[in-house]
Amino acid sequence: MTSLPIIQSAATAGRRPAMPPRHLADLDVSGREDALVALGEPRFRARQLSTHYFGRLVRDPDAMTDLPAATRAKIADDLLPRLLTPVREMATDDGATRKALWRLHDGSLVESVLMGYPDRVTVCISSQAGCGMACPFCATGQAGLTRNLSTAEIVDQAVYLAGVAASGAIAGSPSRLSHIVFMGMGEPLANYNRVLAAVRRLTSPAPEGLGLSQRHITISTVGLVPAMRKLADEDLQVTLALSLHAPDDDLRDELVPVNQRWKVAEVLDAAWHYADRTGRRVSVEYAMIKDVNDQPWRADLLGRLLAGRLAHVNLIPLNPTPGSKWDASAKPVEREFVRRLRAAGVSTTVRDTRGREIDGACGQLAASEVPT
């Protein structure tokens, strides 16, 4: 059996990455209460903290003025350490798309993207610093994996950007964050336990969590089959997004190297298992790469594989990355691909390439400190 082609970043090669200090968002309700009691505080302080953080989107302990001044610093040090330090924020689409670059406690860099629409506000969050899956057309994959993010580092991205939305900064969009996609940096199912804990925090009602609908959470994967099958048994209603990118093993082995372990048939079988167990439609992600995976026969093969299944195809015009040898498919080719899939009875759309100008679109997140 071929081993997983995980790429480690040069920055962490040969050393064990350090996880961040414990944070309120790492803990469930009882864990928060126990932590406060251990500090000599009453249990109800846990609800106060949770209401500030999850209910009011307050991340600064100094703004939590109903906490006794004498104990505020102690509580902040133990349960509200700074996890994300802003490095740079960029905006495009008249301010409706915003990319945030964060420095973590160990110097690692991650990015997240907020996208405002007339009917919703979506945040694309990262689950790892870098990515080890080595997909050659993705800037994140080429950077290598630094480390997994903690539960709280994942959640804190959403809480911060939910606060941006609540401030009214995105004109023409609702003021409440409604959707989260785990499509930022990293392979979410390679950080399974922390991502699942983050989903619980994001979907539990305030003040336990952020109170989002499970149906408005999307978890993306390149096809880690055991984790996909495990996710199907979690009794969740999140959407599973499968980054397929090729319907045949010969090409997918190159574009998505994890295919060397789990072939297309195995990956799709796990996806159908998820759909059967949850009743949720699987989103099949397919980057359209000029003269690589956009041939009519591949559209026909994909159509045969998906016909009659609970699936929807998102075609993604390839977004440019520095040094890439590939480009997006021509629009007539893209339209023919769509036509053939729809002729096979497969629901298909072409994804909006929001954030391309600020390297915030799909496949472009690379966490560079130098503006591009």
Side-chain angles (χ1 to χ4, degrees):
M1 180 178 289
T2 306
S3 60
L4 268 173
I6 294 177
I7 291 181
Q8 188 177 39
S9 74
T12 58
R15 65 179 177 86
R16 185 181 180 87
M19 295 301 287
R22 180 184 66 175
H23 187 278
L24 177 82
D26 288 312
L27 306 173
D28 59 16
V29 171
S30 62
R32 297 169 204 171
E33 292 176 347
D34 291 344
L36 268 299
V37 170
L39 288 175
E41 295 293 317
R43 287 186 178 273
F44 71 80
R45 289 270 184 261
R47 185 175 181 86
Q48 282 182 297
L49 284 176
S50 300
T51 298
H52 278 298
Y53 184 78
F54 286 110
R56 299 171 185 165
L57 308 176
V58 175
R59 298 164 65 251
D60 180 5
D62 290 336
M64 302 177 184
T65 54
D66 58 343
L67 300 179
T71 61
R72 197 178 303 157
K74 176 179 65 174
I75 292 172
D77 288 344
D78 195 72
L79 284 174
L80 291 169
R82 172 170 285 198
L83 300 178
L84 308 176
T85 299
V87 175
R88 184 177 68 251
E89 293 189 33
M90 302 174 71
T92 188
D93 301 321
D94 295 325
T97 303
R98 296 164 181 258
K99 183 177 76 168
L101 173 66
W102 312 102
R103 180 175 288 108
L104 309 182
H105 79 105
D106 59 352
S108 300
L109 298 171
V110 297
E111 292 178 323
S112 39
V113 182
L114 181 148
M115 295 163 285
Y117 301 89
D119 61 339
R120 68 192 187 281
V121 174
T122 299
V123 167
C124 177
I125 57 178
S126 296
S127 56
Q128 296 178 311
C131 182
M133 295 295 106
C135 298
F137 57 90
C138 175
T140 314
Q142 291 307 290
L145 175 66
T146 300
R147 67 168 171 87
N148 287 330
L149 298 191
S150 70
T151 297
E153 285 174 320
I154 297 168
V155 171
D156 206 34
Q157 297 170 65
V159 171
Y160 175 88
L161 292 172
V164 172
S167 73
I170 312 174
S173 295
S175 60
R176 187 176 188 275
L177 172 64
S178 56
H179 292 68
I180 290 180
V181 294
F182 282 82
M183 293 182 175
M185 300 179 71
E187 161 56 53
L189 295 189
N191 189 14
Y192 188 92
N193 291 335
R194 296 184 183 96
V195 165
L196 263 289
V199 169
R200 304 285 185 192
R201 304 289 181 274
L202 295 170
T203 58
S204 295
E208 182 179 351
L210 208 52
L212 301 183
S213 167
Q214 290 184 8
R215 290 173 173 265
H216 290 172
I217 305 288
T218 297
I219 297 178
S220 176
T221 181
V222 295
L224 305 190
V225 167
M228 292 168 68
R229 290 187 170 276
K230 185 177 179 182
L231 183 65
D233 297 327
E234 294 285 355
D235 194 29
L236 292 170
Q237 284 288 295
V238 300
T239 296
L240 177 67
L242 171 61
S243 295
L244 192 65
H245 305 310
D248 55 303
D249 288 322
D250 285 346
L251 181 57
R252 196 167 193 266
D253 282 350
E254 178 185 354
L255 296 183
V256 187
V258 76
N259 199 72
Q260 297 166 29
R261 174 173 287 189
W262 295 293
K263 299 300 184 182
V264 169
E266 296 174 271
V267 171
L268 289 178
D269 189 60
W272 309 147
H273 175 69
Y274 185 85
D276 290 343
R277 290 298 304 268
T278 64
R280 301 285 291 157
R281 185 174 69 172
V282 174
S283 178
V284 177
E285 312 293 302
Y286 197 102
M288 293 291 290
I289 308 174
K290 182 180 180 181
D291 299 329
V292 174
N293 66 348
D294 59 358
Q295 298 85 356
W297 72 264
R298 283 196 162 97
D300 293 339
L301 176 55
L302 183 61
R304 291 194 297 272
L305 291 174
L306 304 187
R309 297 292 188 174
L310 195 59
H312 174 86
V313 174
N314 271 319
L315 294 181
I316 308 166
L318 185 73
N319 292 304
T321 58
S324 174
K325 64 180 180 179
W326 292 317
D327 200 356
S329 301
K331 286 301 177 182
V333 173
E334 179 187 282
R335 287 193 290 269
E336 177 63 11
F337 209 92
V338 171
R339 188 194 69 78
R340 287 173 178 265
L341 287 174
R342 290 176 177 169
V346 178
S347 173
T348 305
T349 55
V350 178
R351 181 182 291 175
D352 181 14
T353 55
R354 292 281 293 270
R356 175 179 285 187
E357 295 83 0
I358 55 173
D359 291 336
C362 182
Q364 291 186 309
L365 299 188
S368 170
E369 287 196 81
V370 180
T372 55

